[in-house]
Amino acid sequence: MADEQKHGASRRQFLTGAAALGAGAVTAGAAKAAGPDPLITEVQEWASGLGDGVDATPYGLPIQYESDVVRRNVEWLTADTISSINFTPIHALDGTITPQGCAFERHHSGAIELKKEDYRLMINGLVDTPLVFTYDDLQRFPREQHVYFCECAANTGMEWAGAQLNGAQFTHGMIHNMEYTGVSLRTLLAEAGLSVAGDLKDKWVYVEGADASSNGRSIPMEKALDDVLVAFYANGEALRKEHGYPVRLVVPGWEGNMWVKWLRRIEVMNAPVESREETSKYTDTLEDGTSRKWTWVMDAKSVVTSPSPQAPIKHGHGPLVITGMAWSGHGKITRVDVSKDGGKTWETARLAKAGENKALTRFYLDTEWNGEEMFLQSRAMDETGYVQPTKAQLREVRGLNSIYHNNCIQTWYVTADGKAENVEVSS
Ligand code: MTE
Ligand code: CO
């Protein structure tokens, strides 16, 4: 009986799908096939011959029909592609893991090619035994595995003064979420004779990359000894060149700029270096024109990825899945609310899985849509009780001239024909 019901249900869905293909707009869940559908009744080309052999793709790429699921640039941000940024196609992805092949890239002096054999990692400064590790050396320490998001501090940075870029990929796509395998920085610092028992409260590590920019950043010792990873695998395979092959730093929950790629040196110091990347950049302009430094943690944030400007509603009225992602550098996402009326009323979304520490959480709102206009928003909450702010709340503190750390609530205006647009609501 249970089986029969299951079968019946899937067949009903199947007929609906077939009718939708043949007859255009139908009401989901209530359609009958208009007539024989050749996609069902005729033998198709793909069933009349043989497919590709197993030697066709030694390393697979997505099927050609998914060729629009790619990183994209914003032209006016990319005058120079070497010191630049591209964006993850978050509007076209589901789940939480970002494939390396379409995960955003940010380089200050281009993606370099560094062989494992040429790789060296130095730990020097205030340690008993300054050390140099080869790639093979690193492979011999106990490994850890964690999923973490990496968000550039500049994500959503173009939206401070007004709704600007038309697509979740462009407004929120400086983020990826991967499963990393690596050695904890704590382990390597201990190997170099950092006395974990000593007074480390005021100590810092300065981390730098092997690329021309070096992207040097100071990290307080408390974080360095907490959850920072020296990673060499992402999503089960070696890091891609553009993400720092063969070794990058993973600094969970903290701004992407600190996730140094092509990691070459870690110096233990008594004070922060105050490098370019932490003085003239990666500080936050406030309403009164002064700047705030050391804003490392990425606060809770979320965005509806579909529907959105690049992912309009293409089906008819009836069931609609609203989906998006939420994350917090302070820990786990506990709740996400969705509003269809620009924040006047809220419904609590369903989390696909319980929130994970400093990783993306997927949310769904399974709803009905009958062509009404929507001002779609999502609002994330994390385990500290923090609630994602509105744009107006954030502007009160930060003004209009900031760049980094914009975690405000995003609004998509969805029209009666299912198209979506980046807008602001006054509240
Ligand atoms: N590390 C080095 N060595 N060089 C860089 O240019 N860019 C930083 C950081 N680490 C950078 C770097 C910035 S600003 C960000 S947001 C992240 O790397 C982006 O990581 P991804 O390119 O893997 O997405
Ligand atoms: Co960045």
Side-chain angles (χ1 to χ4, degrees):
M1 183 62 186
D3 250 347
E4 230 168 70
Q5 272 172 355
K6 218 163 118 198
H7 189 77
S10 62
R11 171 139 179 87
R12 226 173 10 254
Q13 280 163 7
F14 185 56
L15 283 176
T16 303
L21 278 173
V26 289
T27 308
K32 277 207 333 212
D37 181 343
L39 282 168
I40 301 168
T41 56
E42 307 290 318
V43 175
Q44 298 296 322
E45 184 201 328
W46 52 83
S48 318
L50 301 176
D52 290 338
V54 291
D55 55 349
T57 45
Y59 192 95
L61 286 172
I63 195 166
Q64 54 176 313
Y65 312 121
E66 296 294 317
S67 59
D68 60 335
V69 184
V70 290
R71 300 167 178 139
R72 288 189 177 81
N73 301 336
V74 170
E75 218 173 295
W76 56 265
L77 279 174
T78 316
D80 154 24
T81 57
I82 303 296
S83 171
S84 200
I85 181 104
N86 59 27
F87 299 84
T88 308
I90 54 171
H91 64 287
L93 301 176
D94 207 314
T96 56
I97 296 294
T98 317
Q100 288 201 68
C102 65
F104 89 94
E105 302 163 61
R106 169 73 175 114
H107 317 301
H108 292 79
S109 52
I112 57 167
E113 245 165 47
L114 183 53
K115 281 195 212 112
K116 283 177 182 165
E117 299 77 49
D118 295 341
Y119 181 77
R120 300 287 184 273
L121 171 62
M122 178 185 292
I123 297 189
N124 67 332
L126 304 172
V127 290
D128 291 346
T129 327
L131 288 175
V132 173
F133 301 91
T134 63
Y135 185 84
D136 285 345
D137 293 338
L138 292 178
Q139 296 285 305
R140 299 172 68 186
F141 289 92
R143 287 171 218 172
E144 292 185 16
Q145 245 146 56
H146 303 274
V147 176
Y148 292 123
F149 76 82
C150 171
E151 183 184 17
C152 181
N155 200 18
T156 322
M158 289 78 77
E159 302 289 308
W160 279 104
Q164 183 142 222
L165 296 171
N166 219 22
Q169 176 167 23
F170 307 115
T171 55
H172 289 75
M174 293 185 202
I175 188 164
H176 49 62
N177 191 64
M178 305 193 199
E179 184 202 63
Y180 294 97
T181 301
V183 178
S184 83
L185 178 54
R186 196 186 323 109
T187 301
L188 297 181
L189 287 172
E191 184 74 12
L194 180 81
S195 164
V196 182
D199 183 13
L200 295 171
K201 236 182 41 247
D202 302 326
K203 301 273 187 294
W204 295 70
V205 292
Y206 183 67
V207 289
E208 65 182 16
D211 54 330
S213 85
S214 90
N215 196 84
R217 289 290 306 246
S218 312
I219 301 177
M221 188 57 81
E222 196 183 352
K223 179 70 173 174
L225 295 177
D226 180 15
D227 54 5
V228 176
L229 271 188
V230 173
F232 22 83
Y233 278 69
N235 300 343
E237 63 179 359
L239 286 165
R240 297 280 169 88
K241 170 176 84 174
E242 55 270 37
H243 301 300
Y245 180 95
V247 177
R248 90 172 302 167
L249 203 64
V250 167
V251 190
W254 289 28
E255 60 190 17
N257 186 256
M258 304 175 95
W259 295 47
V260 169
K261 302 190 276 192
W262 315 290
L263 180 67
R264 76 182 281 269
R265 196 170 70 91
I266 299 168
E267 182 171 348
V268 178
M269 307 183 94
N270 277 321
V273 163
E274 309 265 7
S275 71
R276 172 187 182 272
E277 300 291 313
E278 49 204 20
T279 51
S280 75
K281 304 283 172 190
Y282 302 98
T283 56
D284 303 325
T285 310
L286 301 181
E287 225 285 314
D288 64 5
T290 60
S291 284
R292 189 163 62 184
K293 65 174 182 177
W294 307 149
T295 49
W296 300 304
V297 182
M298 302 309 292
D299 284 325
K301 184 166 169 180
S302 68
V303 65
V304 170
T305 51
S306 177
S308 67
Q310 299 157 286
I313 305 171
K314 287 193 184 141
H315 55 68
H317 298 167
L320 169 69
V321 174
I322 297 173
T323 188
M325 49 200 223
W327 61 97
S328 169
H330 289 281
K332 297 173 186 165
I333 289 294
T334 49
R335 186 172 131 190
V336 180
D337 293 337
V338 171
S339 177
K340 295 173 185 164
D341 54 14
K344 292 193 193 87
T345 61
W346 295 92
E347 292 171 71
T348 298
R350 175 168 62 87
L351 304 186
K353 284 195 283 181
E356 285 168 23
N357 186 36
K358 299 165 192 168
L360 285 193
T361 296
R362 171 66 48 182
F363 66 85
Y364 297 105
L365 187 74
D366 309 299
T367 191
E368 290 277 323
W369 179 71
N370 291 304
E372 57 275 16
E373 293 184 341
M374 294 188 283
F375 288 90
L376 263 189
Q377 298 185 335
S378 63
R379 176 176 73 181
M381 279 155 248
D382 70 19
E383 62 180 323
T384 68
Y386 176 93
V387 182
Q388 185 182 355
T390 64
K391 215 169 192 178
Q393 285 169 335
L394 211 54
R395 278 179 181 155
E396 269 173 36
V397 185
R398 303 280 303 281
L400 297 174
N401 297 318
S402 245
I403 298 175
Y404 306 109
H405 293 271
N406 183 347
N407 68 322
C408 73
I409 290 172
Q410 170 67 40
T411 313
W412 305 126
Y413 169 51
V414 181
T415 57
D417 60 1
K419 296 204 175 78
E421 204 185 311
N422 182 8
V423 297
E424 283 185 4
V425 291
S426 49
S427 66

